Amino acid sequence: MGMLFVNQPALADNIQTVPAADVTQYAQPLQKQEIKKSEIWLVFVVGTASLFGATLVLENNSSLFPAISKANKAMKISNKQAEQAEAKLPEVTPKEITSSPSVTA
């Protein structure tokens, strides 16, 4: 296996040295690249919005995040019970509140 590489010329034989004066003679400044800031902001905003949306969708997946899913369901049930309890309360007018004997000024 080592015999395959013997016939190859050494890499050091292929390297050419160039004086510094020649290098600076051929050197050219790089072209100024145009930066489109509006496109960068668009990508940033769209990426952020899609990341947020994907996070919301994944959080509601009970197989990936069971604790968050259970907490969301418990919150929905709690809100529904609070709305039902509020709907059962009698409507009280401000006049009834001020005329109540338990209210002290």
Side-chain angles (χ1 to χ4, degrees):
M1 196 85 176
M3 298 300 284
L4 293 175
F5 297 109
V6 173
N7 295 334
Q8 299 291 330
L11 290 177
D13 294 340
N14 293 332
I15 296 176
Q16 296 178 357
T17 56
V18 179
D22 291 346
V23 172
T24 56
Q25 183 181 19
Y26 294 114
Q28 296 177 356
L30 296 174
Q31 294 179 355
K32 184 165 178 142
Q33 295 180 351
E34 182 180 328
I35 298 173
K36 298 179 181 177
K37 291 181 183 179
S38 60
E39 290 180 6
I40 293 171
W41 275 107
L42 179 66
V43 168
F44 178 72
V45 169
V46 169
T48 304
S50 61
L51 179 63
F52 181 72
T55 302
L56 289 177
V57 169
L58 289 176
E59 280 183 354
N60 290 327
N61 188 345
S62 61
S63 63
L64 294 175
F65 298 99
I68 294 174
S69 180
K70 287 178 185 177
N72 287 342
K73 287 178 185 175
M75 187 63 104
K76 286 178 186 176
I77 291 170
S78 174
N79 287 341
K80 185 181 274 187
Q81 289 174 348
E83 287 176 6
Q84 290 173 350
E86 188 176 309
K88 290 180 182 178
L89 291 176
E91 188 69 32
V92 180
T93 62
K95 186 175 183 179
E96 292 174 353
I97 294 173
T98 57
S99 65
S100 171
S102 63
V103 176
T104 57

